Amino acid sequence: MKKLLLLLGFLMLFTPLKVFAASDTVDDQANLLSPEERTELSKQADALNKEIKGEVFILTTNTNSEKPRKFADNQLRDRIGNDNNGALLLLDMNQRKIHLSTSGNMIDYITDKRRDKLLDDVEAAMRDGNYYQAAADYLSNANEFVADGIPGGSYRIDEKTGKVTYYKSITPIEFTIGLVVAAVAAIGFFISVRLRYQLKTGTYRYPYRQNAQLDLTERQDQLVNSFVTTRRIPKPSNNNGGGGGGGSTTHSSGGGTFGGGGRSF
């Protein structure tokens, strides 16, 4: 047994863990960025990663021949797995395409409306040949959206089935109201019980052993049927303000759910 424990400890000590270092954040296969620029972008990404409890990446390539969306989704999945928190910006120099792939909570942070604003900024920088600015705009927009939080009333809509899933968040006002109502209910219950039994601290003990009664019953719940309601959601307007609500269009790929979108430059 001791030998087995020592062997397991040895394996855990020397088995490499999947840790994303700064150099992994920017995979500049097309050599569009200087070492200093990659380092600076990695620092910005690290700060965002702590907020989303996930990973954001930048990938440049000049050899990709796959469809940008499929390629970006696969690259993001390979790094973080399906449905985990993260985002990948693909700068495809071979096909002159930009694609943003989002997963997990980044789908909700970057709604379609916010995505369009982000891609507008990235596209403008790419057309000017300012590749560092394009990557920096991606990170600054994503950081702004995360700081603003998930918009109230936002939802996801599956592009294939049309199924709509709403995201419900509790606002500070709702939390405060709920806390006050709970406190009032608890105090009211305490006063009601005290008046009912006329309890006096230190002089009365309720004979719960003699008066208690326990009845156990068995209950089984069985799902008979379920229904899913779908409806068509109009596309967002061209208003590119970053703080609005709206939906996030999603699609399935390789067993995972992804959001995002793309542009040409």
Side-chain angles (χ1 to χ4, degrees), residues 155-173:
Y155 55 86
R156 295 185 184 186
I157 177 169
D158 188 291
E159 68 175 14
K160 184 176 181 180
T161 66
K163 180 180 178 181
V164 177
T165 304
Y166 284 91
Y167 181 94
K168 174 59 179 175
S169 60
I170 299 177
T171 65
I173 295 178

Side-chain angles (χ1 to χ4, degrees), residues 188-208:
F189 178 76
F190 172 78
I191 294 175
S192 175
V193 173
R194 186 175 182 85
L195 292 176
R196 181 176 178 183
Y197 292 100
Q198 297 180 348
L199 299 178
K200 296 181 179 180
T201 304
T203 63
Y204 176 77
R205 294 292 184 271
Y206 181 76
Y208 64 91

Side-chain angles (χ1 to χ4, degrees), residues 253-264:
S253 175
T257 300
F258 297 89
R263 297 277 182 86
S264 299

Side-chain angles (χ1 to χ4, degrees), residues 93-122:
M93 303 302 294
N94 184 45
Q95 302 184 60
R96 306 293 293 179
K97 296 285 186 179
I98 305 163
H99 195 86
L100 171 69
S101 179
T102 56
S103 176
N105 61 11
M106 291 302 285
I107 295 177
D108 302 305
Y109 281 122
I110 305 181
T111 62
D112 289 352
K113 185 177 180 180
R114 290 176 168 183
R115 174 205 64 197
D116 290 343
K117 177 182 181 302
L118 184 154
L119 291 177
D120 282 346
D121 293 342
V122 174

Side-chain angles (χ1 to χ4, degrees), residues 4-126:
L4 178 60
L5 292 176
L6 288 174
L7 178 60
L8 292 175
F10 180 84
L11 292 175
M12 292 177 65
L13 180 63
F14 291 97
T15 299
L17 298 177
K18 188 176 182 180
V19 177
F20 292 98
S23 59
D24 295 324
T25 303
V26 182
D27 188 358
D28 187 20
Q29 298 179 11
N31 293 318
L32 303 180
L33 305 167
S34 68
E36 294 78 14
E37 290 173 336
R38 289 194 290 269
T39 299
E40 180 59 32
L41 291 170
S42 295
K43 291 180 180 178
Q44 297 177 34
D46 290 342
L48 181 57
N49 291 341
K50 294 178 181 178
E51 293 294 325
I52 68 171
K53 303 296 187 294
E55 300 289 339
V56 295
F57 306 95
I58 299 166
L59 171 62
T60 73
T61 178
N62 53 12
T63 59
N64 174 49
S65 59
E66 293 184 72
K67 292 183 178 180
R69 184 169 86 168
K70 180 180 180 181
F71 182 74
D73 289 348
N74 287 338
Q75 292 295 315
L76 182 58
R77 180 191 301 105
D78 289 345
R79 289 174 177 267
I80 66 174
N82 277 332
D83 301 325
N84 291 317
N85 303 330
L88 172 71
L89 177 68
L90 171 66
L91 303 179
D92 188 335
M93 303 302 294
N94 184 45
Q95 302 184 60
R96 306 293 293 179
K97 296 285 186 179
I98 305 163
H99 195 86
L100 171 69
S101 179
T102 56
S103 176
N105 61 11
M106 291 302 285
I107 295 177
D108 302 305
Y109 281 122
I110 305 181
T111 62
D112 289 352
K113 185 177 180 180
R114 290 176 168 183
R115 174 205 64 197
D116 290 343
K117 177 182 181 302
L118 184 154
L119 291 177
D120 282 346
D121 293 342
V122 174
E123 180 186 351
M126 291 298 291

